[in-house]
Amino acid sequence: MARSKFSSFLLIFGLAFSAHGVEKNRIEYDGLSYEVISEGEHTVSVTGYLGEKFTEKPKTVIVPATITVGNTQYTVTAIGDEAFHECRDITDLTVPETITEIGDYAFSYCVSLKEMHIPASVKSIGKGLFQDCWSLAGIDIPEGLTEIPDDMYHACDKLEKITIPASITRIGMSAFGNCVGLKEIIFPETLKEIDDLAFINCRRLQAVTLPSSLVKLGSMVFSDDESIESLSLPASLGSIGIEAFYNCRSLKTIYSWAPNPPVLKKEWHPVGGDPDLYPDNSVFGNVPADAVVYVPAGSLDLYKEDSGWNNCFSDFREMRGSVIYDVITETWETGARYYNLNGVCLPGVPSEAGIYVKHCDGKSSKVIVR
């Protein structure tokens, strides 16, 4: 009898050794496994899901704020690396406000997960957090985070709109790569870096307006985004990475606000390859050569004479100012692009009453739809 009780105790409160050689307690409690972070502070991290990983039965999982083992109450403050990796049956997952850290690939391949709220208490998140969560349609990025890590939303097919909070300064490599349903991105005016492949193969984006704070645009960032028709490049952008807009076959209009043409890079790509294989037009490779490039007043000749830009395009036009000229009651114009006051390009003409910004033939105007 004593031996049986001892075996049962080990199932609930086992012992394991960490990589640093320190003995740590492991707990199994109400369908989840935990590891004690601090015995003195009574804090634990979720390390795994004990439910069936490959059933077709929908599951709702609620991570508790606290668990009680014996006479000790522990606060759940973290979710560890791959804690819910490949838990294919989970459809909804609730995380408590006690969580401050979520590890690498914590929810990756949760292919049935539809939505999840990350609480504002979370100050650190790992890479690949929602990688290949094919059903994920809605997600809030908490204010306070400074970066969106590599692969965070890679291949989230159902994600249609994302608003990047103002605290974010960097978007990591392939963070939104292969999000084939993504239609709209709202960038903050705090964003400084977009790394390689960040939005590659996002096939439903129609317009990209990069913020005025941006200083780094990596390689292949928007490659194969075949629906993009309009692109706005800020004056802060001094260079553009290799194949950043490769195969953007629908691109019709580019607004480059930089007085000096941004350098179109040709250096060796980080994934390898011979730099001599990249031609002068690699940044805009397979982009329509008749796309119109609007440039600031006084910069027309600089763009026309730049070997990178003139290898890609021939139709350069000078903007007639960078300010909004007037407010008018809308009459539709062929070739015009319409933006809401957040800078998001609309897929067509505005359908609701309000104030919008119209770009047409290098001129910007504010319009009222009644």
Side-chain angles (χ1 to χ4, degrees):
M1 178 67 71
R3 184 169 181 173
S4 175
K5 287 182 178 179
F6 180 70
S7 299
S8 299
F9 176 78
L10 286 179
L11 288 174
I12 299 174
F13 207 93
L15 294 176
F17 289 90
S18 76
H20 300 288
V22 179
E23 197 173 63
K24 287 190 175 182
N25 295 320
R26 296 189 185 276
I27 303 168
E28 292 184 0
Y29 185 94
D30 197 21
L32 298 174
S33 61
Y34 300 84
E35 182 176 85
V36 176
I37 299 172
S38 170
E39 195 64 71
E41 296 179 0
H42 298 161
T43 55
V44 294
S45 171
V46 179
T47 58
Y49 171 58
L50 302 178
E52 293 293 331
K53 288 190 175 184
F54 299 102
T55 66
E56 295 181 359
K57 184 179 179 181
K59 294 272 187 179
T60 296
V61 174
I62 299 174
V63 176
T66 62
I67 61 172
T68 301
V69 179
N71 296 322
T72 304
Q73 184 180 77
Y74 293 91
T75 301
V76 183
T77 61
I79 296 175
D81 294 349
E82 300 188 15
F84 293 91
H85 171 70
E86 212 168 1
C87 293
R88 295 172 176 262
D89 56 333
I90 296 177
T91 57
D92 299 284
L93 201 152
T94 302
V95 176
E97 297 286 341
T98 55
I99 298 292
T100 60
E101 179 180 349
I102 304 176
D104 295 345
Y105 304 102
F107 310 109
S108 60
Y109 283 91
C110 288
V111 296
S112 299
L113 185 65
K114 295 180 179 178
E115 60 181 65
M116 179 182 161
H117 171 67
I118 301 178
S121 58
V122 174
K123 304 303 179 187
S124 174
I125 55 178
K127 62 185 178 182
L129 193 63
F130 296 104
Q131 179 175 313
D132 288 281
C133 289
W134 307 329
S135 302
L136 188 67
I139 188 70
D140 296 325
I141 303 173
E143 294 280 354
L145 295 176
T146 59
E147 70 171 20
I148 295 177
D150 298 352
D151 296 313
M152 182 168 174
Y153 297 100
H154 180 85
C156 290
D157 295 353
K158 295 292 179 63
L159 197 64
E160 292 189 358
K161 178 180 178 179
I162 194 77
T163 299
I164 313 287
S167 57
I168 297 293
T169 60
R170 171 185 174 265
I171 297 176
M173 182 181 292
S174 199
F176 296 91
N178 290 316
C179 288
V180 295
L182 189 62
K183 297 179 181 178
E184 184 178 343
I185 315 163
I186 300 177
F187 293 108
E189 290 296 328
T190 52
L191 184 66
K192 296 184 180 299
E193 301 180 16
I194 303 179
D195 279 356
D196 304 328
L197 309 159
F199 295 94
I200 189 173
N201 201 36
C202 292
R203 294 182 174 269
R204 298 184 70 184
L205 288 172
Q206 289 192 322
V208 172
T209 301
L210 298 174
S212 60
S213 53
L214 192 69
V215 295
K216 177 187 175 183
L217 186 65
S219 300
M220 302 179 74
V221 173
F222 293 98
S223 284
D224 295 318
D225 294 2
E226 296 184 357
S227 294
I228 294 177
E229 296 182 4
S230 176
L231 169 64
S232 180
L233 303 171
S236 56
L237 196 61
S239 63
I240 303 174
I242 289 172
E243 295 188 353
F245 300 98
Y246 179 81
N247 212 30
C248 292
R249 297 170 179 265
S250 299
L251 192 58
K252 298 176 181 177
T253 309
I254 300 171
Y255 293 90
S256 181
W257 299 94
N260 294 309
V263 175
L264 306 185
K265 290 190 173 182
K266 292 181 58 180
E267 77 270 21
W268 204 314
H269 190 273
V271 298
D274 186 341
D276 293 333
L277 296 179
Y278 293 98
D280 286 340
N281 66 347
S282 64
V283 168
F284 292 101
N286 218 19
V287 168
D290 60 353
V292 180
V293 181
Y294 290 100
V295 302
S299 297
L300 194 60
D301 289 340
L302 293 176
Y303 279 81
K304 284 183 175 180
E305 295 168 4
D306 184 276
S307 61
W309 285 86
N310 66 27
N311 268 286
C312 301
F313 309 104
S314 58
D315 192 350
F316 296 93
R317 304 181 191 180
E318 198 171 77
M319 298 183 200
R320 298 201 296 269
S322 59
V323 298
I324 294 172
Y325 281 81
D326 51 9
V327 178
I328 62 174
T329 300
E330 182 55 54
T331 56
W332 311 127
E333 290 188 45
T334 302
R337 301 296 301 178
Y338 297 89
Y339 297 78
N340 65 24
L341 294 184
N342 290 321
V344 178
C345 186
L346 306 179
V349 298
S351 59
E352 298 180 2
I355 298 175
Y356 300 86
V357 175
K358 177 174 71 176
H359 286 305
C360 187
D361 292 331
K363 182 177 179 180
S364 298
S365 59
K366 185 181 291 184
V367 297
I368 298 176
V369 178
R370 300 185 187 281

